[in-house]
Amino acid sequence: MFLKKSDPYLLIVGMTGVKMGDAFLQVGCAHGGLLAAVACKVGLSGRAALVAPDQASARRAQKAAEDAGVLVEIEIAPPTQLPLPDDTFDLAVVDDTAGLFGTMRPEGRVASIRELVRVLRPGGRVLVIGAAPRGGLGAVLSRTQNGPPFVASGDAIKALEADGFRSVRTLAEREGLVFVEGIKPRSVQG
């Protein structure tokens, strides 16, 4: 009678636009399933990598990758110092659903965004995924937060634009998530 949602990450994978053969990087890992779902789409001809901020995130990611049967390179490092070569990835996904970027000091966010610009190929995309502000009774009960989350507040758009990304926009706000996308310019303007 009611349609059961078969894949909880279908929306996220669709929003990434990832395809077979892409080089995909995820920064942060609040939920390993997100990483595994996108890594499945790049296939064996692509590359999936994660930079986890801590050991717990790396373990979550490793378990999800093993459960999904996908290969993911996992590095533990701060998002301000990605241990990856320049111009390597087609897509970078920032998992800010648990506030990874939102809880950083402004200078840390700037350094992290500049690192994303560095590791993306010209024309590469960044997708920042964050929690949408709660509405209704949930908003009243969760008044302990100081304003809306980083991505939902519009601060993610401002930060991406300020530090090198172009065509920055909110793609959607659905299922409790906000998706913000930016493009690395194909050439440096001098």
Side-chain angles (χ1 to χ4, degrees), residues 17-157:
V18 71
K19 58 191 177 303
M20 182 77 67
D22 278 352
F24 152 68
L25 167 66
Q26 181 171 315
V27 177
C29 187
H31 308 284
L34 185 158
L35 172 70
V38 178
C40 282
K41 295 299 177 188
V42 301
L44 293 175
S45 62
R47 178 181 180 192
L50 167 74
V51 175
D54 53 45
Q55 190 65 38
S57 296
R59 277 194 301 272
R60 253 191 315 277
Q62 186 65 44
K63 180 174 181 349
E66 288 171 1
D67 290 349
V70 295
L71 299 173
V72 177
E73 303 165 28
I74 300 173
E75 297 279 348
I76 299 173
T80 56
Q81 298 173 350
L82 302 177
L84 302 163
D86 297 357
D87 302 324
T88 304
F89 295 94
D90 302 300
L91 170 67
V93 172
V94 176
D95 181 356
D96 194 52
T97 56
L100 176 66
F101 273 34
T103 57
M104 282 183 177
R105 298 180 57 85
E107 58 273 12
R109 269 196 299 270
V110 167
S112 297
I113 292 169
R114 289 182 179 162
E115 280 291 278
L116 290 168
V117 171
R118 182 184 65 76
V119 301
L120 281 171
R121 292 181 178 137
R125 297 178 309 114
V126 64
L127 182 67
V128 183
I129 304 172
R134 297 177 72 177
L137 184 57
V140 172
L141 296 175
S142 67
R143 292 215 178 198
T144 57
Q145 279 191 335
N146 298 329
F150 172 67
V151 180
S153 69
D155 289 344
I157 289 174

